[in-house]
Amino acid sequence: MTTPPPNPYSGAPVLPNPYAGAHPTQNPYAQPPAPGHPPMPQHQQYAAPYPHPHAQAPAPGCRNCGAPEAANIAVRAHVGVLIMMRFHTLKGPFCRQCGRSLVRTMTTKTLFQGWWSPLSLVVFTPFTLLWNLIASIKFGKLPPSEPAPGRQPLDEGPPVYARPLAYVAIVPLLWATWVVANVIADLTA
Ligand SMILES: [Zn+2]
């Protein structure tokens, strides 16, 4: 026969709950509120400022595969259609192979979908492409990826110029060339 659990209403002694906060109000750091002042939130402005927002932690290796040799730069994509704009940012660090794979994917997406709002055409997509170019150069300078045990770097895939969607960018480039040519023709007429 098993012993039934103690009934707290039976008058039998109840074991103390070891997980209950025994003295929730007994804070050794609490100060009695000063008369005339509302109690201040104690030490709120000093609470856990660590890690310091400006402190540079040592690079922990590739975010994707754990390879120790990694460049701490983000990879971006921009999508702009009429009034809808989206900014995609994948924060590093990434190793050579993962970084180049992401640059290729995100750059192709931007070349395909980045041109279809005015601000995107003039500002955000050129910026995104330039950013990814710089990131690509940084990743290219890294040694070959050595992923952590049990992890796989991303497949680099074909280069951007071998991805058909990238050629959608020809349309806005032709249009921009046409606009510029007309402006020049107007100015020189
Ligand atoms: Zn990697």
Side-chain angles (χ1 to χ4, degrees), residues 61-70 93-99 145-148 151-154:
C62 175
R63 272 185 84 160
N64 183 63
C65 71
E69 294 280 356
F94 297 113
C95 69
R96 177 190 173 97
Q97 201 171 322
C98 296
S145 303
E146 289 173 16
R151 294 169 75 177
Q152 283 287 322
L154 295 172

Side-chain angles (χ1 to χ4, degrees), residues 149-161:
R151 294 169 75 177
Q152 283 287 322
L154 295 172
D155 184 10
E156 285 189 19
V160 171
Y161 62 77

Side-chain angles (χ1 to χ4, degrees), residues 80-83 85 114-126 175:
V81 181
L82 300 179
I83 57 165
M85 289 197 281
W115 306 103
W116 315 108
S117 84
L119 266 181
S120 302
L121 175 72
V122 180
V123 181
F124 296 122
T125 285
W175 176 81

Side-chain angles (χ1 to χ4, degrees), residues 26-72:
Q26 197 178 61
N27 179 353
Y29 303 104
Q31 296 170 4
H37 292 87
M40 293 285 289
Q42 291 293 322
H43 308 298
Q44 198 170 25
Q45 65 271 45
Y46 306 115
Y50 192 81
H52 195 274
H54 301 297
Q56 281 291 328
C62 175
R63 272 185 84 160
N64 183 63
C65 71
E69 294 280 356
N72 195 0

